Amino acid sequence: MFPLSLYNLSSLETISLAINQLHGSLPQDIALTLPNLKILAISGNLFSGRIPNSFSNISTLEKIDLSENSFVGSVPNNLGNLQNLQQFLINGNQCGIGEADDLEFVNSLVNCTHLAGLELTNNGFKGPLPNFKANLSTQLSVLLLGKNQISGTIPVGIENLVNLTELGMEINFLEGNIPFLIGKLPKLQRLFLGGNRLSGQIPSSIDNLTLLYELHLEENNLNGSIPSSIGNCHQLQFLTLYNNSLQGLIPKQLFLISSLSISLDLSSNSLTGSLPIEIGKLKSLSTIDISKNRLSGEIPSSIGDCNSLEHLYMGGNFFEGIIPQSLTLLKGLQDLDLSLNNLSGHILKDVEKLSALQSLNLSFNNLEGEVPTKGIFGNATAIFVNGNDKLCGGIVELHLPACTNHGSTKQEKSNAVRIVLPIIGVILGFFLISSMLTLFWIRRSKSKPPSTPLIGDQFLKLSYKDLFQATGGFSSANVIGSGTFGSVYKGIINQGETNVAVKVLNLQNPKVYKSFMVECKALRNIRHRNLVKILTSCSSIDSKGKDFRALVYEFMPNGSLDDWLHMPVEAHNHSRSLNLLQRLNIAIDVASALNYLHYNCYVPIVHCDLKPSNVLLDRDLTAHVSDFGLARLLLKHDDNSSQTQTCTIGIKGSIGYAAPEYGMGGRATIQADVFSYGILLLEMFTGKRPTDQMFTGDLNLHNFAKAALHVHVMQILDPTLLPKEEQSEEIEEIATNRIKVPSNRTNQLQDCITSIIEIAVQCSMESPKERMNMNDVARGLHLIKGKFS
């Protein structure tokens, strides 16, 4: 605990106890005991409780650092009286959680004449920020408000903080535009606004921030083009704009910022046009990521002049032509991703000589010829060349066809031409006649009223027009879900007799085309009662002449498992609550589906994105696993059942549910699905998401459940699963402080929950080798259900 003897030292000026294991709370009358205190630095401990109001009475205070503790509650509004205060830091606490939306204290603190640093990062503050007054005389240079729940817009008057060198508002719920007046902060060096809901364009006034060396605007809804005026930020070293809706050309002025040396990330936008040849001017840059855009043209050879480049990501665009030879000049290159483009020609043999290269992705292009075998090409886990049908050779593990040696003489070729040409002529003539007959038949068929076959074993035939009418013109009123790859609409077909779910893909996302093919391939030949049933797919042209892709599924009237676990009761038309037996049945359903995918399909399938929102419930609350947009098909290559993915698109899984090996570039495996299932099972019976705010540092959902085995398992159980009489008895036990003798019913419930949590913990082990397989999981859950029933 905090040394109580310190409170008797009224002349004490400095308390520095950072990074220890001290706990307890600060006395609310601290001003009476330590009236001359100047510095209080107790960061990195276990202190809790509220921040004392009496701080405002210690006029000598210059620094308060309470960071990385467990303080709660609101921040006192009267701290603006501390005119000597220079730093106030409470990063990494739980302040603001459960409190009213009141951030007025920020204005109070900012108004402290000598305050230089105000850091409130990673707390639970919510609500809008107050507007900053125009008559501020503050010396504030650092204002960090990131990783909270702050909403509203960037406050009016931000431009009045003219001494700011660092401004952090990242990972909040801010919306609206980035104010143009932000360009009136001439001393700003670091600006963090990523992970919000900001929209509009990047203001051209950014060019006034000539001292800026870090700019983070990623993961917002920014649109428009990248302003060319950004080229005036001559000190910029780090620029991240990924995952927005930016359009237009990449301004060449961006590549003339010679100071760019750490990272340039423009990925996951809708940028178009060619890559400017000025890219070669970035001679000091370590990382370039322009993946997942709509860039086209050839890769400029000047890229070979970026001689400090270590990581280059250009996948998911429309680049064409050959791979430039100049890429082999990048001797320090560690990662190179050119996948999902239209590149042609041969693989450069000199890539073998790039000794630093650790990962090479050339998949899904039009490359041809022989794959080299030396250097990185000798490591099958480090290279990806799938999706290039004309490649041959390479090491055995790649399983490419052998290269054939065409040594024909000119005379042989000439004779072949003489023989082949007449044959081609006959074939073309036959094809022309067949095409004319086919066209006549199609036109004749169109004149007859279309007939849609009933839903059965055969696939439906639905056009864009059919789906447009079925969903009320893709009305927003019929939207039942949305995600990265598109939106899902409720529709009615067969003259109003059949409800369906129509997944319309967002073709602005380059990954969607591959996702569409993967999902079709995965679902085409699989049938199981616990997998969502696909009725048909539609690949057509919409009313505006643009490509249209959609998948049509059987409709699930009870929505997703996520809705039932987490959506408030008042959000439903009726109360939704799953009892223990219903949750156990759903867990068995999902386990059965995964067991089928892993061991009973024509080829093993890894789902890759199992989570409650991808588990749908039918009218009888039977679970159906859905959304195979990230699925991998696996092929067994030898008796040891080593498996290699044959379909690769994008990042595997969702945060909190993805196996830890995915974060280290691991390939898709059935063991990774088992990890996701373990997390889902824990969520079902604890009621806590893996992304819950309580899970910070080394504490996660797995460790939380593991620590509760076996004595405290009922304390982590979702309270809604406790029988009402058990809940009331538990309240009485706490009120009377007596020991309760468990009933037989309670013992039975505890045994059941313990067994389920044990399976979930075993499935979510960090090491894939320690996880159960889904066959044993399904069998174990059936046994638990039998005992409990």
Side-chain angles (χ1 to χ4, degrees), residues 452-483:
T452 303
L454 296 174
I455 296 177
D457 293 333
Q458 57 184 324
F459 288 114
L460 289 162
K461 294 179 181 178
L462 296 174
S463 65
Y464 169 80
K465 182 180 179 181
D466 295 330
L467 297 181
F468 185 86
Q469 294 173 342
T471 59
F474 302 110
S475 167
S476 58
N478 288 325
V479 173
I480 55 177
S482 60

Side-chain angles (χ1 to χ4, degrees), residues 319-551:
F319 288 118
E320 56 190 16
I322 62 173
I323 301 173
Q325 182 71 34
S326 61
L327 276 177
T328 62
L329 300 175
L330 303 176
K331 301 302 182 184
L333 198 61
Q334 298 176 23
D335 298 290
L336 176 60
D337 185 354
L338 302 176
S339 63
L340 292 161
N341 280 291
N342 297 318
L343 299 172
S344 56
H346 292 72
I347 296 176
L348 300 173
K349 188 170 178 60
D350 285 347
V351 174
E352 293 178 331
K353 301 176 183 178
L354 297 178
S355 57
L357 199 59
Q358 300 173 13
S359 174
L360 175 63
N361 192 345
L362 304 175
S363 58
F364 296 101
N365 279 287
N366 299 313
L367 300 172
E368 59 184 63
E370 187 172 3
V371 177
T373 56
K374 296 179 181 179
I376 192 171
F377 295 102
N379 183 357
T381 63
I383 62 169
F384 304 90
V385 295
N386 48 306
N388 293 280
D389 297 335
K390 297 179 182 179
L391 288 178
C392 62
I395 58 176
V396 176
E397 290 83 354
L398 296 179
H399 302 280
L400 295 172
C403 297
T404 56
N405 183 20
H406 299 285
S408 304
T409 64
K410 290 184 179 180
Q411 183 62 41
E412 289 172 335
K413 291 180 180 178
S414 177
N415 291 337
V417 169
R418 292 175 185 171
I419 296 171
V420 170
L421 280 179
I423 295 174
I424 291 176
V426 172
I427 292 173
L428 287 176
F430 177 79
F431 179 75
L432 183 61
I433 294 172
S434 300
S435 298
M436 293 175 66
L437 291 173
T438 302
L439 185 61
F440 172 77
W441 179 82
I442 290 174
R443 288 180 176 176
R444 185 178 178 184
S445 299
K446 285 184 177 179
S447 64
K448 297 179 180 180
S451 59
T452 303
L454 296 174
I455 296 177
D457 293 333
Q458 57 184 324
F459 288 114
L460 289 162
K461 294 179 181 178
L462 296 174
S463 65
Y464 169 80
K465 182 180 179 181
D466 295 330
L467 297 181
F468 185 86
Q469 294 173 342
T471 59
F474 302 110
S475 167
S476 58
N478 288 325
V479 173
I480 55 177
S482 60
T484 307
F485 289 170
S487 299
V488 182
Y489 300 84
K490 180 181 178 181
I492 303 176
I493 60 173
N494 287 342
Q495 297 179 343
E497 295 181 359
T498 306
N499 290 327
V500 293
V502 183
K503 180 179 180 181
V504 179
L505 301 180
N506 173 21
L507 300 185
Q508 304 245 338
N509 186 335
K511 293 187 295 186
V512 163
Y513 288 94
K514 296 299 177 186
S515 168
F516 178 76
M517 297 304 296
V518 167
E519 191 151 8
C520 288
K521 191 170 184 179
L523 294 173
R524 182 174 54 192
N525 296 314
I526 59 177
R527 294 289 184 276
H528 191 274
R529 68 182 293 271
N530 297 123
L531 295 178
V532 68
K533 183 179 180 182
I534 188 170
L535 304 179
T536 191
S537 63
C538 179
S539 179
S540 183
I541 303 296
D542 66 14
S543 58
K544 297 180 181 179
K546 296 181 179 179
D547 286 347
F548 175 82
R549 300 284 189 279
L551 296 163

